[in-house]
Amino acid sequence: MFWQKNIETLPREQLEKLQLLRLKATVKRVYAKVPYYKKLFRAKKTAPKEIKTLEDITKLPFTTRDDLQKNYPDGLLSVTKDKLVRLHTSSGTTGKPKAVFFTEKDIATAANNMARCLTMTGVTKSDVLQNMMSYGLFTGGLMMHYGAEKIGALVIPAAIGNTDRQLLLMQDFGTTSIHLTPSYALYLAAIFEKKGRAFRKKLKLKRAYMGAEPYTEETKNKIESILKLKVYNSYGLTEMNGPGVAFECGFQAGMHLWEDSYLMEIVDPKTDRPLPDGQTGELILTTLTREGMPIIRYRTRDLTAIIPEKCKCGRTHRRIMRIKGRADDMFILRGVNIYPQQIERVLMSVAHVEKNYQIYLEDNDKMTVKVEITKKLFDGNLEHLKKLQFDLTEKLRAEIMVRPSVELVEPGTLPVSEGKAKRVFDNRKIY
Amino acid sequence: MHVKQVSIFLENKKGRLLDALKALAKAKINIRALSVADTADYGILRMIVSDVPRAKAALESAGFTVKETEVIAIAVSDQPGGLAKILEVLNNAGLNVEYVYAFAEKHENDAIVVLRTENIELGIKTLTNAKVKILEPKKVYSI
Ligand SMILES: [Zn+2]
């Protein structure tokens, strides 16, 4: 199902023409109206007239999280304040928040993209969407709300919490789609299990959208099997309007990114060089239609790859892979970019090890993965442990092209750093 | 007839075996039989103890990964070839023996041997049919 078939299936050539037109306009706009961008452009010895093709985007400066924070609260506006109708913020773990402003048209575009996403997963005006996300400074709640309303679906703005009432709403109003955080979904799953099959039979749930926190495939599978619905992966960030930047279609093989709204690039996070489709790197996004606060080459720090093949659904907007991790966590071994999440995925698939591991890098590019032997993994059989070690080594080699040595260690022996667990210990003296 | 054995995962690090034994001593648990199976980096310590639940709790609170597994304890007449005959019975029945180890103490002039077959039920059945003396768990824990 399409929300805007013409634009969603626009032939690549025309889509790229449209992108170039919009890119040129955006670049002109920020250069003329945002002093900070003018400064960045000049520092890179570039100007709007340099942009003649889409590839010329590499001549433009990046915008980082730091740039947004430096310009808090309203340093990157390209319209006068009376044109703005909304602001959202995204709080960083450190320092100042980032503020993002929207004109009426910006909100309409974001809602329209969201409507495309929802339609793509089967939502129609007969659907009932229970929005169990926080409504507030966070973009997730409101943008989903606007998108579903645009389609004509019935939206229940349930917001977060009060599980009894959530269940009652689902039951009384025939909720078909839910939008929630993965941790709340897991909580609901536990309650569904307690309530039993008869309770689930009373509900009309078909699909769930999970946002605001990353989740593993295992979590997704668990939620799908217990809640008995389909979970569609999505990608979004406040800086780029929140949810609905990229979304899975019915074929669920990567997320279509709306290329008429965003120009995407993948670059090597260490060298900043552009990478071809299919290769994993940092996702860089440029807004193509935003009025209030256009952003040029935003470094999302999210790692993914563009899927070059056409999707069976007929949409021409290219897909990106599920986010594979944060660029900040990446390390290089024997010239290969590796990120901890790759290792985590293998550990999950082989042994359901999720967090109990550490990676040590030593000179001569030696890599050791230490895996804690938890109760789940230990059945008292030595052969099983040896097999686990062997399987982990082989699967890791296949994934990262480097053969690590896998060590099995007792739980609690891995050093724990304060707060966020440290995964990678790089003890190499020579790079 | 299923005797409970306590297995713990041990890194081959100085003092870990001692730590485990100390934890049991502190909880006043007697070790009836013990065996270590290891690779270069890690191993499994297997024990028959006087009180399985308390041993498990003591080891877990000392930070060890503990697993209870079921084994068979048999009495073997203390003469040459006694154990070999029994293992042959299992072998002839196509049952793979994962490991075997012995108690330090004798019981009524018999040697006590702990063994684990892939399929415990089938192991017990085969041994019973061959008239091998299988010991009751209660007896085993208090030997
Ligand atoms: Zn598709």
Side-chain angles (χ1 to χ4, degrees):
Chain A
M1 273 198 308
F2 293 90
W3 176 245
Q4 290 174 303
K5 190 163 187 188
N6 285 345
I7 185 81
E8 288 175 51
T9 61
L10 197 65
R12 284 298 306 174
E13 202 185 310
Q14 288 178 47
L15 182 55
E16 280 163 21
K17 238 185 219 162
L18 180 67
Q19 284 187 305
L20 184 58
L21 214 68
R22 290 180 171 175
L23 176 66
K24 282 181 175 170
T26 300
V27 167
K28 238 184 239 162
R29 183 185 191 100
V30 297
Y31 192 78
K33 306 221 163 134
V34 186
Y36 188 78
Y37 268 122
K38 191 170 201 167
K39 212 174 71 192
L40 286 186
F41 276 49
R42 286 197 167 155
K44 240 199 145 192
K45 297 191 170 45
T46 191
K49 63 174 183 341
E50 301 279 331
I51 304 296
K52 295 185 186 83
T53 67
L54 286 177
E55 286 70 39
D56 289 335
I57 185 134
T58 55
K59 294 176 182 165
L60 299 179
F62 289 111
T63 308
T64 63
R65 252 183 305 188
D66 197 43
D67 290 317
L68 293 195
Q69 284 168 342
K70 257 192 263 174
N71 284 284
Y72 180 87
D74 54 8
L76 293 178
L77 290 182
S78 81
V79 294
T80 52
K81 277 196 179 154
D82 54 5
K83 289 256 167 56
L84 300 171
V85 299
R86 171 100 61 85
L87 78 83
H88 281 287
T89 67
S90 145
S91 55
T93 37
T94 51
K96 282 192 239 174
K98 301 172 287 251
V100 183
F101 295 85
F102 299 82
T103 63
E104 200 178 342
K105 196 176 148 231
D106 290 338
I107 295 280
T109 308
N112 187 62
N113 284 348
M114 196 69 237
R116 283 186 201 166
C117 296
L118 294 174
T119 304
M120 185 152 74
T121 63
V123 173
T124 67
K125 57 185 172 189
S126 358
D127 275 286
V128 178
L129 181 120
Q130 191 163 328
N131 196 11
M132 298 150 84
M133 279 284 194
S134 124
Y135 280 74
L137 286 170
F138 165 66
T139 41
L142 275 168
M143 290 305 190
M144 175 62 86
H145 184 116
Y146 274 51
E149 259 187 20
K150 190 148 207 153
I151 293 176
L154 175 63
V155 182
I156 310 176
I160 282 181
N162 197 342
T163 305
D164 286 342
R165 194 184 61 191
Q166 300 279 9
L167 297 179
L168 205 65
L169 289 168
M170 279 181 201
Q171 213 176 305
D172 293 351
F173 299 107
T175 301
T176 60
S177 314
I178 50 177
H179 180 216
L180 72 183
T181 65
S183 43
Y184 195 54
L186 282 171
Y187 178 70
L188 278 187
I191 290 187
F192 271 52
E193 274 187 320
K194 234 183 271 165
K195 294 213 171 228
R197 236 180 264 167
F199 171 74
R200 176 61 184 88
K201 276 207 179 121
K202 284 192 259 180
L203 305 179
K204 300 198 172 121
L205 292 179
K206 285 185 196 155
R207 49 188 94 81
Y209 310 107
M210 303 201 292
E213 301 156 5
Y215 54 89
T216 61
E217 271 306 296
E218 197 189 44
T219 300
K220 175 185 166 176
N221 294 339
K222 188 172 172 187
I223 287 164
E224 284 190 330
S225 81
I226 298 174
L227 296 185
K228 303 220 170 3
L229 42 67
K230 272 238 159 290
V231 170
Y232 292 90
N233 291 334
S234 60
Y235 176 73
L237 60 167
T238 298
E239 299 90 310
M240 295 286 140
N241 305 344
V245 173
F247 230 79
E248 274 185 342
C249 67
F251 289 95
Q252 297 199 284
M255 302 176 282
H256 290 281
L257 190 138
W258 302 120
E259 294 189 81
D260 58 330
S261 285
Y262 307 96
L263 187 69
M264 63 168 153
E265 304 165 71
I266 300 288
V267 304
D268 184 315
K270 296 269 151 132
T271 62
D272 296 350
R273 266 200 289 272
L275 292 173
D277 286 5
Q279 280 195 33
T280 298
E282 182 181 347
L283 178 66
I284 309 291
L285 293 173
T286 299
T287 64
L288 292 178
T289 53
R290 215 194 247 164
E291 291 179 335
M293 188 175 153
I295 299 180
I296 305 292
R297 302 192 84 198
Y298 188 62
R299 303 203 67 141
T300 65
R301 307 309 284 155
D302 290 319
L303 295 170
T304 184
I306 295 174
I307 302 171
E309 293 83 25
K310 264 184 124 172
C311 184
K312 286 187 211 135
C313 71
R315 287 177 183 82
T316 50
H317 299 240
R318 285 171 301 169
R319 290 162 294 163
I320 55 171
M321 310 263 288
R322 208 172 189 291
I323 301 303
K324 299 179 176 187
R326 303 286 297 167
D328 314 72
D329 301 332
M330 196 190 80
F331 58 91
I332 300 176
L333 192 72
R334 288 178 219 170
V336 182
N337 292 352
I338 301 174
Y339 35 94
Q341 285 79 1
Q342 269 178 299
I343 304 216
E344 201 164 306
R345 236 189 2 257
V346 171
L347 296 183
M348 272 302 276
S349 72
V350 177
H352 302 287
V353 182
E354 197 170 358
K355 296 288 171 208
N356 312 313
Y357 73 93
Q358 274 172 350
I359 301 160
Y360 289 83
L361 305 172
E362 311 289 341
D363 279 335
N364 300 319
D365 279 343
K366 197 173 140 14
M367 172 176 172
T368 305
V369 180
K370 294 193 179 185
V371 179
E372 279 191 354
I373 288 300
T374 55
K375 243 178 154 162
K376 240 189 327 187
L377 295 176
F378 183 60
D379 65 355
N381 187 317
L382 192 64
E383 293 311 311
H384 291 175
L385 289 177
K386 283 189 205 159
K387 185 170 183 301
L388 172 69
Q389 201 175 11
F390 178 80
D391 288 349
L392 284 174
T393 310
E394 287 309 304
K395 287 258 170 69
L396 284 170
R397 191 192 53 80
E399 170 74 32
I400 60 181
M401 305 303 169
V402 172
R403 184 187 294 275
S405 94
V406 172
E407 281 182 19
L408 305 182
V409 301
E410 287 176 29
T413 52
L414 298 179
V416 182
S417 49
E418 278 185 35
K420 215 173 134 200
K422 198 172 169 187
R423 296 275 164 241
V424 183
F425 295 82
D426 198 337
N427 300 323
R428 290 175 291 185
K429 285 173 202 79
I430 321 141
Y431 277 79
Chain B
M1 303 305 245
H2 301 194
V3 173
K4 294 248 195 289
Q5 165 191 263
V6 174
S7 303
I8 67 177
F9 176 79
L10 275 187
E11 259 178 76
N12 283 356
K13 259 189 331 201
K14 222 176 130 194
R16 285 310 278 161
L17 177 58
L18 186 61
D19 290 342
L21 299 182
K22 272 185 179 162
L24 291 173
K26 216 174 126 196
K28 299 212 167 22
I29 287 157
N30 290 317
I31 300 167
R32 308 298 185 195
L34 158 159
S35 117
V36 177
D38 60 2
T39 70
D41 319 306
Y42 58 86
I44 298 174
L45 169 64
R46 303 187 171 112
M47 293 173 288
I48 304 295
V49 295
S50 54
D51 185 333
V52 176
R54 277 186 48 234
K56 208 174 155 211
L59 289 164
E60 276 177 349
S61 67
F64 289 97
T65 305
V66 188
K67 180 83 188 171
E68 249 177 58
T69 38
E70 288 179 338
V71 291
I72 309 170
I74 53 174
V76 182
S77 65
D78 197 13
Q79 61 189 46
L83 179 59
K85 251 189 248 161
I86 293 170
L87 294 181
E88 205 173 2
V89 168
L90 294 168
N91 192 38
N92 289 343
L95 277 170
N96 189 25
V97 177
E98 288 175 10
Y99 49 82
V100 179
Y101 60 99
F103 271 54
E105 305 284 327
K106 274 191 188 175
H107 176 64
E108 293 163 1
N109 278 330
D110 284 336
I112 309 300
V113 169
V114 174
L115 60 84
R116 176 162 164 104
T117 52
E118 274 169 323
N119 183 330
I120 292 280
E121 300 302 334
L122 214 56
I124 291 174
K125 212 169 135 194
T126 310
L127 292 168
T128 313
N129 288 343
K131 306 221 158 30
V132 174
K133 207 158 124 199
I134 300 180
L135 298 178
E136 291 287 337
K138 234 197 253 163
K139 203 172 244 171
V140 173
Y141 303 141
S142 59
I143 284 172

